[in-house]
């Protein structure tokens, strides 16, 4: 059985490699903006499912596609498109608790399995100077919620409740256990 990662995320690649999995990479060309659900868990599941739907696996392959969003006060934060988006996101998260939702679709010709997880993250109160310095870096712009817990954004985090890797973008322990059922 062959594993195909349907993601361009460097972080997801690192996590799968960290547990010794071999995989091929296919980049899904999917219009994620068509998934407009306001429930964050449904949104990440449907976006991961959409990514899987545009990829083709042969009979001996399992596709693994993912999505991650940040949710705070009923607002879903994806990747910021502009510096103003990043500023607004980090300001909104400052001094409060938000949820990070990640979903994975494992799909072959014979089955589809959904793996979903959420983690609460609490930020310290951030000064305007801290926010401005951070959004001037490249870091916020390819991460849901505009921060990376696995890099400099870690200094904003006061507390997490649940799985750290869900915040990074892949609920690794759940994925590992699921893949073991399929011979990985």
């Amino acid at each position: 059985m062959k594993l195909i990662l349907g993601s361009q995320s460097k972080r997801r690649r690192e996590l799968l490699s960290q547990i010794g999995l071999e995989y091929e990479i296919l980049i899904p060309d999917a219009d994620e903006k068509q998934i407009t659900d306001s429930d964050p868990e449904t949104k990440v599941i449907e976006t991961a499912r959409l990514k899987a739907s545009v990829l083709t696996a042969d009979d001996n392959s399992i596709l693994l596609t993912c999505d991650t969003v940040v949710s705070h006060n009923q607002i879903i934060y994806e990747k910021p498109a502009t510096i103003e988006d990043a500023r607004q996101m980090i300001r909104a998260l400052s001094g409060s608790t938000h949820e990070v939702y990640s979903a994975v679709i494992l799909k072959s010709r014979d089955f589809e399995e959904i793996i979903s997880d959420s983690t609460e993250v609490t930020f310290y109160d951030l000064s305007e100077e801290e926010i401005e310095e951070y959004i001037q870096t490249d870091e916020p712009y390819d991460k849901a919620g505009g921060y990376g817990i696995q890099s400099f954004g870690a200094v904003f985090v006061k507390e997490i409740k649940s799985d750290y890797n869900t915040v990074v973008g892949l609920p690794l322990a759940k994925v590992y256990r699921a893949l073991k059922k399929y011979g990985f």
Side-chain angles (χ1 to χ4, degrees):
M1 192 65 82
K2 177 173 60 173
L3 181 63
I4 299 172
L5 173 62
S7 175
Q8 58 187 350
S9 167
K10 178 183 169 192
R11 294 164 302 283
R12 291 182 180 124
R13 293 176 194 172
E14 289 168 352
L15 287 171
L16 290 176
S17 295
Q18 172 183 314
I19 59 171
L21 288 173
E22 293 183 16
Y23 54 89
E24 295 178 13
I25 297 170
L26 291 176
I27 308 299
D29 184 18
D31 179 12
E32 297 178 35
K33 293 188 186 336
Q34 68 181 294
I35 307 296
T36 58
D37 203 290
S38 61
D39 175 68
E41 183 176 28
T42 303
K43 183 170 182 55
V44 292
I45 290 169
E46 292 307 315
T47 303
R49 182 176 280 138
L50 173 67
K51 292 175 183 178
S53 75
V54 301
L55 298 174
T56 304
D58 61 37
D59 288 337
N60 199 33
S61 297
I62 294 179
L63 290 171
L64 186 159
T65 57
C66 318
D67 193 50
T68 300
V69 298
V70 168
S71 178
H72 180 59
N73 293 334
Q74 278 85 45
I75 299 171
I76 294 175
Y77 296 105
E78 298 183 67
K79 297 172 186 172
T82 66
I83 194 168
E84 187 53 41
D85 286 345
R87 179 181 293 115
Q88 182 265 332
M89 286 180 194
I90 300 300
R91 264 190 201 139
L93 301 178
S94 174
S96 63
T97 299
H98 60 274
E99 295 79 33
V100 179
Y101 291 84
S102 285
V104 173
I105 298 293
L106 296 177
K107 183 178 178 182
S108 76
R109 291 194 189 271
D110 300 323
F111 71 88
E112 176 184 278
E113 182 171 343
I114 299 167
I115 302 166
S116 180
D117 200 32
S118 66
T119 298
E120 286 186 1
V121 180
T122 302
F123 269 21
Y124 285 101
D125 285 317
L126 306 176
S127 69
E128 284 300 310
E129 182 180 336
E130 287 175 299
I131 294 169
E132 289 304 313
E133 286 176 6
Y134 187 67
I135 64 172
Q136 296 302 321
T137 70
D138 291 338
E139 188 169 305
Y141 303 99
D142 70 338
K143 295 166 186 72
Y147 74 95
I149 196 170
Q150 72 283 356
S151 45
F152 191 80
V155 302
F156 300 158
V157 177
K158 182 177 184 179
E159 179 180 29
I160 68 169
K161 291 182 182 174
S162 196
D163 184 9
Y164 168 86
N165 289 315
T166 293
V167 183
V168 177
L170 184 72
L172 190 61
K174 288 183 175 185
V175 169
Y176 171 78
R177 281 163 174 65
L179 287 173
K180 281 181 73 168
K181 295 184 298 193
Y182 305 112
F184 289 94

